[in-house]
Amino acid sequence: MTTQPNIAAVAFLIADPARVAMLSALLDGRARPAGELAYAAGVTAQTASSHLGKLLAGGLLVVETEGRHRYYRLAGSHVALALETLASIGPAEPVRRKPLTRDARKLRFARCCYDHLAGRVGIAVTHGLLEKGFLVAAEKKRFELTPAGAEWFDRMGMNTASIRPTRYGLARQCLDWTEREHHLAGPLGVHLTNLLFAEGCIRRSPSSRAVDVTPKGWKVLKEHFGIQEQALL
Amino acid sequence: MTTQPNIAAVAFLIADPARVAMLSALLDGRARPAGELAYAAGVTAQTASSHLGKLLAGGLLVVETEGRHRYYRLAGSHVALALETLASIGPAEPVRRKPLTRDARKLRFARCCYDHLAGRVGIAVTHGLLEKGFLVAAEKKRFELTPAGAEWFDRMGMNTASIRPTRYGLARQCLDWTEREHHLAGPLGVHLTNLLFAEGCIRRSPSSRAVDVTPKGWKVLKEHFGIQEQALL
DNA sequence: CGCATGCTTCGACACGTATCGAAGCATTGG
DNA sequence: CCAATGCTTCGATACGTGTCGAAGCATGCG
């Protein structure tokens, strides 16, 4: 009556990490298909659909169907404003975040981002390459392959000279939505991922994009970058 | 990193009706003791304490201990801003509100607001008195007792002429926090409530402030105001 | 000093819901 | 027309958490 009856209802819609990831992915005001939002949130299509349905019912999103795609968009700038305002309140770290099921955890831990490695493991590998000086961050969201890096990749069994860069370059910085950091993408990232598959370091898990690191994989990661499984959990 | 990591955590804190009620009660920037906030939210002291602890940990509130009271206050104007911004997004009605346990439901259904009747039943009775023309809303959050009203109260067994008004008047409008409407308070409300107790229409329930309406009570309420239990659930 | 008050902590319970797998509906493309 | 893609719906499960009762800790009052 006098006050705002559904603050809690609106806040509830924003109170889920997956939904925040989706909303954040839409902060630029453009519309994106459900699948992309599912990917951004690191959840399956079914889960994403459920979330999107709620956001839609709550009036935070609007949808536009085009062919077999459904494009979601923020309902207006006021939604973006609310997100920014909430963000300004943090850190609020002490409150523990919502738990994840084992499957969702797996997905966040290691997965294929289309055709290259993402998730915590992907980030860790990218960090390792940067620390060793094999890659350096460059402009336009690219990575530059250093001479030392070329040598290392070649020694690993890749013929870097033969890899054709796309118009976006040889190695791109891809924003990892679940970790909010950059991981290695582009032709170099694809080749590296393929190599890890071929060597038996990683395996596709039954669930769609998730990836399992094999014992051999952990051994390799530790040898080259000092990455240990425990440290990533 | 680049974006806001804990939007969900902050939103989660606001995503509960009880917490919103508490935060709303603090919107004026003044500090209030835990008990008052518990009452505002329509929950018990234990529950309120739990909520306040979380809001405190999340940085939405600050606390100041004074004697055996603990005064809570909004952590800053940015918190108030966030609440207002969220309110601007509504209605968002379609999303169903959080469920309540049977006890909390009882409290919201009927309870004593210090010494007068509140909750849905209290609101319904007040509405009934207004509809019958026994009371009329007046300025300064007061109710005016009409001649017809005086006659009715007297017939019910109250000597209205003998009731001494306080400096706030004979009958006050008290904002019901759980229903967000006004119910009858002031000396007239107190006397009416006492009468209902004396007549066996309502009974104090074991839980603190909750009130049970007896079968006889429902009969009386239906006869005089057409209030039925079913309609209030 | 003991009792009452105000608030918090502990323990237990019930209910939502976030999640995924599988199936179902559309639409596009061969 | 059939297969593939994109998304949603259905069903089942696991896990938090909001809730209260009872107990514990302070503080204040008689």
Side-chain angles (χ1 to χ4, degrees), chain A residues 61-129:
Chain A
L61 296 183
V62 291
V63 69
E64 200 172 336
T65 302
E66 196 165 324
R68 60 184 169 191
H69 295 270
R70 301 197 76 193
Y71 287 90
Y72 289 88
R73 182 199 313 266
L74 289 190
S77 59
H78 54 296
V79 177
L81 177 62
L83 288 168
E84 286 175 17
T85 308
L86 283 174
S88 75
I89 289 191
E93 269 303 356
V95 174
R96 79 172 145 270
R97 54 195 56 172
K98 279 267 177 78
L100 297 171
T101 62
R102 87 204 106 75
D103 298 276
R105 201 180 297 270
K106 271 182 61 179
L107 212 54
R108 278 175 167 74
F109 188 70
R111 66 178 182 280
C112 270
C113 178
Y114 296 118
D115 46 14
H116 55 269
L117 195 58
R120 272 174 204 238
V121 173
I123 299 266
V125 168
T126 305
H127 279 179
L129 289 168

Side-chain angles (χ1 to χ4, degrees), chain A residues 22 32 41 51 69 76 81 104 113 132 146 170:
Chain A
M22 292 177 174
R32 302 188 194 286
H51 287 309
H69 295 270
L81 177 62
C113 178
K132 292 286 184 181
T146 64
L170 180 68

Side-chain angles (χ1 to χ4, degrees), chain A residues 170-231:
Chain A
L170 180 68
R172 291 190 305 110
Q173 298 184 29
C174 178
L175 184 57
D176 194 303
W177 268 103
T178 60
E179 296 299 316
R180 301 184 192 281
E181 295 199 36
H182 294 285
H183 59 241
L184 174 62
L188 190 65
V190 175
H191 273 77
L192 175 59
T193 304
N194 288 341
L195 181 64
L196 290 172
F197 275 122
E199 293 290 329
C201 293
I202 56 178
R203 257 196 310 256
R204 295 193 181 280
S205 103
S207 45
S208 53
R209 302 189 310 282
V211 163
D212 283 325
V213 179
T214 64
K216 177 185 176 185
W218 287 120
K219 187 157 158 280
V220 169
L221 289 179
K222 182 173 180 192
E223 278 175 7
H224 287 276
F225 304 115
I227 299 173
Q228 304 209 41
E229 185 173 10
Q230 303 303 330

Side-chain angles (χ1 to χ4, degrees), chain B residues 53-88:
Chain B
K54 284 168 188 169
L55 291 172
L56 203 58
L60 301 207
L61 296 183
V62 291
V63 69
E64 200 171 336
T65 302
E66 195 165 325
R68 58 184 168 191
H69 296 270
R70 300 196 76 193
Y71 286 90
Y72 288 88
R73 181 201 312 266
L74 289 190
S77 60
H78 55 296
V79 177
L81 176 62
L83 288 169
E84 288 175 16
T85 308
L86 283 174
S88 75

